[in-house]
């Protein structure tokens, strides 16, 4: 089981930040080759926006390492991108759920198109948010704006 898998299964935002901090501390301790720059492994992590910024910087560092053909650095950066990406996706999901209108629609263009068609036809729909975590499946009732946890991974409409 990887740290990304554990973050995917975390139940709260606090757990996600705790696990992400533990990962960053492990990288600080074990990264003897300095594959990740200090600004990416600096603690504390101030929040979601800083995590977004670090993820963008990781992509730039991966691009640079790829151009240098530095496979060992690329491997470390890819792992960090996976961990940061999973944490970012989960935290963004929690952020959408906490918004006043309570809507948490997928950000995937195909899913957006499907859900907007269902909303326009006043049907109840089920969607999986932007994460691959099956526990984040949501039941959304457009006419009431209610969001409830749904038990599985499915995408269907009811009249």
């Amino acid at each position: 089981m990887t740290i990304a898998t554990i973050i995917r299964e975390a139940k709260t935002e606090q757990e996600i930040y705790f696990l992400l901090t533990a990962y960053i501390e492990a990288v600080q301790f074990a990264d003897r080759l300095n594959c990740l720059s200090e600004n990416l492994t600096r603690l504390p992590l101030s929040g979601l926006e800083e995590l977004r910024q670090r993820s963008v910087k990781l992509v730039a560092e991966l691009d640079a390492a790829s151009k240098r053909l530095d496979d060992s650095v690329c491997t470390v950066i890819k792992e960090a991108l996976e961990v940061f990406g999973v944490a970012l996706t989960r935290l963004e999901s929690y952020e959408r759920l906490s918004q006043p209108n309570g809507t948490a629609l997928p950000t995937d263009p195909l899913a957006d198109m499907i859900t907007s068609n269902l909303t326009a036809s006043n049907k109840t729909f089920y969607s999986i948010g932007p994460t691959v975590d099956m526990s984040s499946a949501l039941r959304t009732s457009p006419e009431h704006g209610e969001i409830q946890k749904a038990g599985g991974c499915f995408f269907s409409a009811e009249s």
Side-chain angles (χ1 to χ4, degrees):
M1 183 174 280
T2 66
I3 187 74
T5 303
I6 296 168
I7 290 172
R8 224 177 253 117
E9 295 173 359
K11 304 281 187 241
T12 66
E13 291 175 79
Q14 292 77 18
E15 283 182 47
I16 295 168
Y17 279 114
F18 174 80
L19 292 165
L20 191 56
T21 299
Y23 171 77
I24 292 170
E25 287 176 344
V27 168
Q28 288 173 340
F29 178 75
D31 187 17
R32 291 188 177 91
L33 299 175
N34 291 323
C35 296
L36 299 178
S37 62
E38 187 178 324
N39 63 345
L40 294 172
T41 59
R42 183 184 60 253
L43 288 172
L45 186 63
S46 66
L48 189 57
E49 188 54 40
E50 185 177 354
L51 183 57
R52 284 185 189 112
Q53 292 170 0
R54 289 187 191 195
S55 295
V56 169
K57 290 176 185 175
L58 275 170
V59 171
E61 287 195 15
L62 179 61
D63 182 53
S66 295
K67 288 177 181 172
R68 291 190 314 268
L69 302 175
D70 193 339
D71 291 338
S72 59
V73 172
C74 285
T75 301
V76 172
I77 294 172
K78 285 178 186 177
E79 177 191 71
L81 267 171
E82 178 186 14
V83 172
F84 281 39
V86 168
L88 185 60
T89 301
R90 292 293 313 277
L91 291 168
E92 286 174 338
S93 178
Y94 280 116
E95 182 181 61
R96 279 190 301 280
L97 286 173
S98 68
Q99 291 178 356
N101 64 3
T103 57
L105 298 176
T107 56
D108 175 43
L110 178 60
D112 284 343
M113 181 185 73
I114 293 168
T115 55
S116 65
N117 289 340
L118 290 171
T119 303
S121 63
N122 289 326
K123 295 183 178 182
T124 301
F125 62 93
Y126 299 87
S127 64
I128 306 173
T131 70
V132 293
D133 178 15
M134 297 310 145
S135 68
S136 69
L138 302 172
R139 178 171 186 240
T140 308
S141 172
E143 53 269 18
H144 297 103
E146 299 171 347
I147 295 180
Q148 303 167 343
K149 291 276 184 183
C153 172
F154 49 88
F155 202 105
S156 64
E158 299 174 354
S159 297

